[in-house]
Amino acid sequence: MTTVTFYSQGGRLTGFQVEGHSGYAPQGEDIVCAAVTSAVRMAECAVNDVLGLEAPVKVREEDAFISLKLPRGLEQPGEDLCQTLLAALLVHMVQLSEEYPDFISVLEV
């Protein structure tokens, strides 16, 4: 199962981590894993490559694990845009978990 954990502090989304393989289908054929990976990559590219933040957002990636952590003190409009992106990713992951409850779990801490 894939577990997606979103972190927040004081009402601010601070990042997320994704770990585990969904197990929906064999590697290379797993549509759940592909959906999660694609959405996470889009969010990471938007934050790091499109927004042009002064300091890139920290991303840690290993086999079946990726995490993204926003820095404190982002200036506007970068902070609002990052919050919108993470909120959209959260909604997308929750919708995937509702469609594939045996293969993806979403936590908010």
Side-chain angles (χ1 to χ4, degrees), residues 32-107:
V32 175
C33 202
V36 170
T37 300
S38 179
V40 166
R41 293 257 184 239
M42 189 279 307
E44 186 268 327
C45 287
V47 169
N48 278 332
D49 300 329
V50 176
L51 292 180
L53 302 176
E54 287 184 29
V57 171
K58 293 180 184 177
V59 176
R60 191 175 127 221
E61 184 176 357
E62 298 171 11
D63 184 42
F65 178 90
I66 188 167
S67 67
L68 180 143
K69 183 176 181 183
L70 294 178
R72 291 184 177 147
L74 285 176
E75 295 185 16
Q76 296 299 339
E79 173 66 25
D80 287 342
L81 292 169
C82 286
Q83 290 303 302
T84 299
L85 283 166
L86 290 183
L89 182 64
L90 172 61
V91 169
H92 182 61
M93 293 297 132
V94 167
Q95 289 175 346
L96 282 173
S97 72
E98 290 170 352
E99 192 170 346
Y100 300 97
D102 295 333
F103 304 98
I104 180 172
S105 172
V106 178
L107 307 171

